Amino acid sequence: MPTKPKNLPTKSCPHCHLQTCLGEMIAVGPDDGGQDEGDDDWDGLGDPSAPIRDDGGKAKDDEVHERHPYINDGEFLPRGAPPPPSSHDPKILHVPQMTFGRLKTESRSTRRSALFEDAGTPVHIDTLMQIWLLCMISRRTRIAKDLNTTIDASSLVLLNQLRNPDFKDEMDFSAKRMFDKSNRCSYKDFMSGNWAWRLSDDLAKDAKYYGTTLCSVILGSDKTTVSVATGQNNYYPLYLSNGLIHNNVRPAHRNGVTLIGFLAIPKGDREATDSVEFRRFKRELFHASLREILEPLRAGMTDPEVVLYATGTIDQVQLACIVQGWCARCTANKNDLDGLAGRRSHAHTLAVFEAQTPKQMWDQYGIINDIMPFTHYFPRADIHELLSPDLLHQIIKGPSRIISIAAVLPFPELRRFPEGRGFKRWTGNDSKALMKVYLPAIAGLIPDKMVRALSTFMEFCYLVRCSVITEDVLKDIDTAVAQFHEERKVFEELGVRPDAISLPRQHSMVHYRHLIQEFGAPNGLCSSITESKHIKAVKDPYRRTSKYEALEQMLDVNQRMDKLAAMRVDFCSRGMLAGSIFDDVAPPPPPPDPVSKSVSGPDKDDDDDGAVDTGDLLSEVVMAAKPITGLPRNVHALAHTLRLPQLPELTRCFLYQQESLMDDNVPMEDPMLVDLDDCPPFSGPIRVFPSAVVTFFSPSGESGRHGMYHERIRSVGSWCHGPPRRDCIFLDKDSSLPGFRGLHAARVLLFFSMKHMNIVYPCALITWFSPIGDEPDPVTGMWMVEPDVDENGERVQAVVHLDTIVRAAHLIGISGDEFTPRTFKHSDSLDFFNAFYVNKYIDYHAHEIAF
């Protein structure tokens, strides 16, 4: 065990210039200026300039990890000693979720007498339990025998997550620092942030914590509606995760995020709900519930078992106990959120309690006077410090709700708005879909400065979503924020916002650099993870209920699903699910036809794109499982049937190119310039396929546990019994060039395979697009392309190998200042427009490769 250092030197980190103080900077008021999040003064354990220790190995060729030297992996076994027997018991790997019910206060007298002992005094949890018990008895609902045992589920959930063998290779058992090949800091998982390292430094002051593991508790919650038609059934699920697992584990929903309860949604008549007492009761109930749920974890916050802490992605205004319109992290005035401000803290709130009246607290500081956040009752806890970035609710949601976008080609997970939609509830998926196509739709219709403002805003949204954020990305984020603040002045100049722009969601952008440095990449903490978890934990269980008193039935469904998941994990850890029980009695199946090899099974009518859990490949493009039947197998007959007269010649040119790659005696020439007489003849069999599946590494987007994603590229004569669908693709041009400069854009006219000299060639017949200019469009930030045409005005075609395809591309027609006709069909876009935007915002991976 290492010895405790004699002194704690105070130095400035040469790598990232971050504030990593052992103590806590307290902002006393708005006049003192507080401490800026970019100050360089910090107290760190050890010498940051010491040589980097590669304790954690290399996650990538250009990535090095340094582990914390004292608060780390726990006590190790002696060398050569066998591990202790596994305590992985599937019988205890499920947790009885709890609920505080739907409290309904019937009268003001009940509310005053039963819910408030003294003005401003928090309600004791026993009082709330008595009210909950009465509600449940009146509804004849089964009651848990021991509520405290049920509430203790939070500690059991955490224990089960930590002992889950599914996560054994995807957890960090100590704070870490990540460095790129230039020895600069980068940020990825939660434990790579400065908060974990700084807290480890603080714990290292006491030798009793040496060898322990710092484990953070991450809470998330968001109200969801399961049925509007049957009475607006709302639920308030609470989820728990831990900071040790990697960011890629939480979105994969492999029990890295666990439902631990349903928070109460108090209801009453209109007179009651509009009263000050009722609003106070709702706040007290919310924070009292969270305090009680987390109470079993308190012991681990002080004793060296598991040191844990809570950060949340719940409604930040409600969590921080501040007034709507104020910032939950800083003391900036709501009328000038981007002005000078200090940091909020519990100490600052208590100081304001002592010095100001309730009205002054509300008007001048945005503080609600009758409650403290639930974290105030736990050691080393300050909700204002621990509020994590929330991409979905802070940044993505909130655009215009009347949209009419008709000329957009189909693409996986893309929604079109052909008639415009007046949304009563604007969902995260609606906002994401709009962001993907918004810029091309408004370019030319509104002033360029407005378009540039939106372009820089979207650039910020996509940059902060990166799975690994380096110092270069942080600089790009700073640049995007500064440009957005400059460009958005046009809304003031043109009278759209005649007063100063002071919006909490836009203000949150200025905190993202600090939050990334504190907690790692935001994509592992975004509330979109819990929102997607709603489907599995709330909405699907609700559909399985009788819809009457559904909450208890939903809890039963979740418990059973947890048991099944725990059983599967246990079976896998014992090797019981490897192979098949028929392996010893049945002959192995024949090897698949290399032409029809597929990663996703038979072709379907619907898009089957999505995350892939495979981790043994970097990228792959394969044909669909089944060819299209009823078409000729001869190339000339096929060309006549499909009205592609150039197909026979282009296949011969393609074969010449393939032979030149394999034979050094064949000169390398552009196949389009080769004399057809020099090309080999082709009369072999040919088969046509409706699509191809491309699998690629895309950790910043919705991907599997290893960061893999697959999508289907289609080229069919009729899509869903409608018009043809001919998707666009990116092809590799020169991997040494950055972004779109190293790519080609093309449109697929035909997927086919041909056999020549006993070699099967999977191919695609395409038409080319060429860039317009040498730089992206300065207004939208996207590249523009136009179709290549020959001297007769026909589009230039070519046959390419399937392996040259990088992934699907999305092109949007450039209409300028004109509107498309109302009778226009989106399927005609690629033939109607003369120029197109290369839509780098279609997903996060496209943004990373098509800049």
Side-chain angles (χ1 to χ4, degrees):
M1 180 178 292
T3 58
K4 184 176 180 180
K6 296 181 180 179
N7 59 347
L8 299 176
T10 301
K11 293 188 177 183
S12 176
C13 176
H15 303 297
C16 52
H17 306 290
L18 308 178
Q19 178 194 355
T20 54
C21 54
L22 288 170
E24 184 176 348
M25 179 57 62
I26 299 174
V28 177
D31 296 333
D32 67 355
Q35 173 148 343
D36 186 73
E37 292 176 350
D39 288 350
D40 294 338
D41 295 333
W42 71 293
D43 297 324
L45 180 62
D47 188 355
S49 62
I52 297 174
R53 300 183 301 109
D54 190 10
D55 294 345
K58 290 189 177 182
K60 298 166 69 174
D61 291 340
D62 56 350
E63 196 175 276
V64 179
H65 294 175
E66 176 190 0
R67 302 290 179 179
H68 196 277
Y70 299 100
I71 310 301
N72 45 39
D73 298 346
E75 296 185 5
F76 297 97
L77 292 173
R79 184 177 297 275
S86 173
S87 60
H88 182 68
D89 187 349
K91 295 190 296 294
I92 62 171
L93 274 182
H94 71 279
V95 179
Q97 290 90 3
M98 60 161 298
T99 174
F100 284 105
R102 294 171 178 268
L103 301 183
K104 184 174 181 180
T105 54
E106 302 294 346
S107 66
R108 183 174 301 179
S109 59
T110 303
R111 194 170 54 253
R112 286 179 175 172
S113 61
L115 305 182
F116 294 97
E117 300 168 1
D118 297 304
T121 302
V123 183
H124 194 275
I125 193 66
D126 290 343
T127 304
L128 300 178
M129 291 297 101
Q130 291 295 328
I131 299 174
W132 179 83
L133 183 65
L134 292 175
C135 294
M136 295 298 103
I137 291 177
S138 65
R139 300 155 106 180
R140 298 182 180 179
T141 304
R142 190 179 65 209
I143 306 298
K145 294 182 179 180
D146 189 348
L147 287 175
N148 289 327
T149 301
T150 306
I151 294 175
D152 286 348
S154 57
S155 59
L156 184 57
V157 168
L158 185 65
L159 181 63
N160 289 337
Q161 289 182 357
L162 297 180
R163 66 167 52 159
N164 191 334
D166 233 9
F167 304 149
K168 64 180 184 300
D169 298 323
E170 297 171 308
M171 297 181 72
D172 293 314
F173 293 98
S174 66
K176 65 181 180 181
R177 283 173 173 165
M178 296 173 55
F179 302 94
D180 59 19
K181 59 184 178 181
S182 301
N183 204 25
R184 294 180 300 178
C185 283
S186 59
Y187 305 90
K188 184 179 180 182
D189 304 310
F190 183 86
M191 296 300 284
S192 69
N194 293 327
W195 178 85
W197 193 280
R198 186 171 63 247
L199 187 55
S200 297
D201 283 351
D202 190 24
L203 294 172
K205 294 177 179 179
D206 192 334
K208 75 175 182 179
Y209 293 112
Y210 285 4
T212 60
T213 295
L214 173 69
C215 179
S216 315
V217 174
I218 300 174
L219 295 178
S221 185
D222 188 31
K223 290 181 182 177
T224 183
T225 301
V226 296
S227 176
V228 177
T230 57
Q232 194 75 12
N233 292 318
N234 297 325
Y235 292 94
Y236 207 160
L238 180 67
Y239 303 100
L240 182 144
S241 183
N242 69 85
L244 300 185
I245 59 176
H246 294 170
N247 280 358
N248 61 292
V249 175
R250 294 190 195 95
H253 293 164
R254 294 163 47 235
N255 289 335
V257 178
T258 306
L259 176 70
I260 61 171
F262 286 86
L263 299 177
I265 305 179
K267 293 184 177 181
D269 54 35
R270 178 170 298 181
E271 179 186 1
T273 55
D274 290 340
S275 65
V276 175
E277 292 91 343
F278 189 81
R279 290 195 294 270
R280 181 189 302 170
F281 163 66
K282 288 171 62 177
R283 290 192 294 267
E284 291 283 357
L285 176 62
F286 177 79
H287 287 272
S289 301
L290 290 177
R291 284 201 305 271
E292 200 67 22
I293 291 173
L294 296 177
E295 183 62 31
L297 306 177
R298 180 189 293 272
M301 296 182 182
T302 54
D303 296 330
E305 300 176 6
V306 176
V307 181
L308 42 90
Y309 210 70
T311 180
T313 56
I314 312 172
D315 186 344
Q316 299 194 356
V317 170
Q318 186 176 10
L319 272 173
C321 299
I322 63 170
V323 180
Q324 190 77 27
W326 292 72
C327 178
R329 294 192 60 86
C330 69
T331 59
N333 189 279
K334 68 174 182 178
N335 297 319
D336 186 18
L337 286 173
D338 294 326
L340 295 177
R343 293 187 185 176
R344 290 190 185 272
S345 66
H346 289 166
H348 170 262
T349 301
L350 291 173
V352 174
F353 275 178
E354 296 293 332
Q356 305 292 332
T357 65
K359 180 173 176 52
Q360 290 174 327
M361 293 172 58
W362 184 286
D363 295 336
Q364 299 178 19
Y365 296 92
I367 298 175
I368 299 174
N369 71 300
D370 56 0
I371 189 172
M372 284 293 291
F374 73 97
T375 52
H376 176 65
Y377 304 93
F378 293 93
R380 302 188 188 91
D382 194 324
I383 193 63
H384 306 290
E385 177 189 11
L386 296 176
L387 286 172
S388 64
D390 185 0
L391 297 176
L392 179 64
H393 291 91
Q394 289 180 335
I395 305 299
I396 295 177
K397 280 191 175 182
S400 172
R401 302 192 178 191
I402 306 249
I403 309 298
S404 181
I405 301 175
V408 178
L409 291 169
F411 200 84
E413 300 181 8
L414 177 64
R415 301 183 182 189
R416 295 188 308 111
F417 306 91
E419 305 296 336
R421 292 179 61 183
F423 288 91
K424 190 173 183 180
R425 179 178 176 83
W426 188 258
T427 67
N429 287 335
D430 294 325
S431 299
K432 293 175 184 177
L434 178 61
M435 289 178 64
K436 296 177 180 181
V437 298
Y438 195 58
L439 279 183
I442 63 174
L445 301 178
I446 64 175
D448 287 350
K449 197 169 183 179
M450 286 187 177
V451 179
R452 285 197 298 269
L454 294 173
S455 175
T456 54
F457 173 78
M458 290 183 60
E459 195 70 17
F460 169 86
C461 295
Y462 280 70
L463 286 172
V464 298
R465 180 74 187 200
C466 291
S467 61
V468 179
I469 298 182
T470 63
E471 287 294 317
D472 290 336
V473 176
L474 286 177
K475 292 178 181 178
D476 292 340
I477 291 173
D478 291 340
T479 300
V481 173
Q483 289 180 351
F484 174 69
H485 284 167
E486 178 63 29
E487 299 290 353
R488 73 176 183 178
K489 293 179 181 177
V490 67
F491 294 98
E492 301 178 28
E493 297 167 359
L494 298 181
V496 179
R497 296 280 302 191
D499 300 328
I501 298 177
S502 183
L503 302 174
R505 289 183 177 179
Q506 291 186 14
H507 167 70
S508 67
M509 296 168 63
V510 304
H511 292 299
Y512 265 69
R513 179 188 178 96
H514 173 72
L515 293 174
I516 290 169
Q517 293 170 334
E518 288 288 282
F519 304 121
N523 67 342
L525 299 173
C526 180
S527 60
S528 60
I529 297 175
T530 56
E531 286 225 348
S532 59
K533 183 74 173 179
H534 288 339
I535 298 175
K536 180 179 179 181
V538 181
K539 297 185 178 181
D540 285 348
Y542 177 80
R543 296 187 184 104
R544 299 176 184 178
T545 68
S546 66
K547 311 300 186 296
Y548 177 75
E549 304 293 350
L551 185 57
E552 184 181 358
Q553 302 171 57
M554 293 164 61
L555 294 175
D556 288 339
V557 171
N558 274 281
Q559 291 177 28
R560 292 164 185 165
M561 296 303 295
D562 285 347
K563 292 177 182 179
L564 290 173
M567 182 179 66
R568 180 175 181 83
V569 170
D570 180 67
F571 287 174
C572 289
S573 66
R574 301 171 188 268
M576 297 170 60
L577 300 184
S580 170
I581 61 175
F582 300 106
D583 286 347
D584 296 332
V585 296
D593 186 343
V595 177
S596 61
K597 176 187 174 186
S598 175
V599 297
S600 58
D603 199 21
K604 300 179 181 179
D605 288 339
D606 296 328
D607 287 311
D608 53 358
D609 311 78
V612 182
D613 264 348
T614 182
D616 56 354
L617 53 86
L618 293 178
S619 63
E620 184 182 37
V621 186
V622 296
M623 286 294 189
K626 296 181 179 180
I628 299 176
T629 59
L631 292 176
R633 300 289 299 275
N634 178 271
V635 64
H636 295 280
L638 180 65
H640 177 75
T641 301
L642 300 181
R643 298 181 181 179
L644 297 171
Q646 300 182 51
L647 182 60
E649 298 179 0
L650 294 176
T651 54
R652 294 179 62 187
C653 293
F654 169 79
L655 291 175
Y656 176 88
Q657 183 186 38
Q658 295 301 309
E659 288 185 355
S660 65
L661 293 174
M662 295 183 292
D663 190 350
D664 295 336
N665 296 322
V666 179
M668 283 289 298
E669 297 184 42
D670 186 344
M672 303 302 297
L673 303 178
V674 176
D675 190 343
L676 194 60
D677 293 335
D678 296 333
C679 298
F682 173 69
S683 59
I686 187 169
R687 294 198 294 178
V688 177
F689 293 83
S691 63
V693 176
V694 56
T695 304
F696 51 88
F697 185 63
S698 177
S700 300
E702 296 179 3
S703 56
R705 55 187 288 193
H706 299 292
M708 302 304 296
Y709 183 86
H710 74 162
E711 63 186 4
R712 189 174 292 274
I713 306 170
R714 302 183 183 275
S715 181
V716 290
S718 177
W719 169 244
C720 293
H721 308 289
R725 174 171 173 176
R726 311 291 183 188
D727 289 347
C728 296
I729 55 175
F730 288 122
L731 294 125
D732 187 28
K733 174 183 177 183
D734 186 350
S735 58
S736 64
L737 297 177
F740 186 67
R741 291 176 175 85
L743 299 173
H744 286 298
R747 181 187 185 186
V748 180
L749 300 182
L750 190 71
F751 283 116
F752 66 98
S753 68
M754 56 183 177
K755 192 172 184 179
H756 178 68
M757 303 293 290
N758 293 323
I759 300 177
V760 176
Y761 294 97
C763 307
L765 177 65
I766 63 169
T767 61
W768 295 103
F769 293 90
S770 295
I772 301 175
D774 298 327
E775 298 289 338
D777 176 34
V779 178
T780 62
M782 293 185 287
W783 285 88
M784 298 183 294
V785 296
E786 60 185 357
D788 292 353
V789 296
D790 58 20
E791 60 275 7
N792 298 321
E794 299 293 332
R795 297 198 176 184
V796 177
Q797 300 178 5
V799 173
V800 298
H801 197 285
L802 210 63
D803 288 344
T804 62
I805 297 177
V806 177
R807 55 153 298 166
H810 191 244
L811 305 184
I812 299 181
I814 301 176
S815 59
D817 57 357
E818 299 179 357
F819 291 94
T820 56
R822 287 188 174 272
T823 57
F824 180 81
K825 295 181 179 179
H826 69 277
S827 56
D828 298 330
S829 293
L830 291 175
D831 299 315
F832 179 82
F833 294 100
N834 297 320
F836 303 86
Y837 288 113
V838 179
N839 186 11
K840 67 177 181 178
Y841 297 115
I842 193 62
D843 57 40
Y844 296 104
H845 182 257
H847 181 264
E848 293 174 352
I849 68 171
F851 58 89

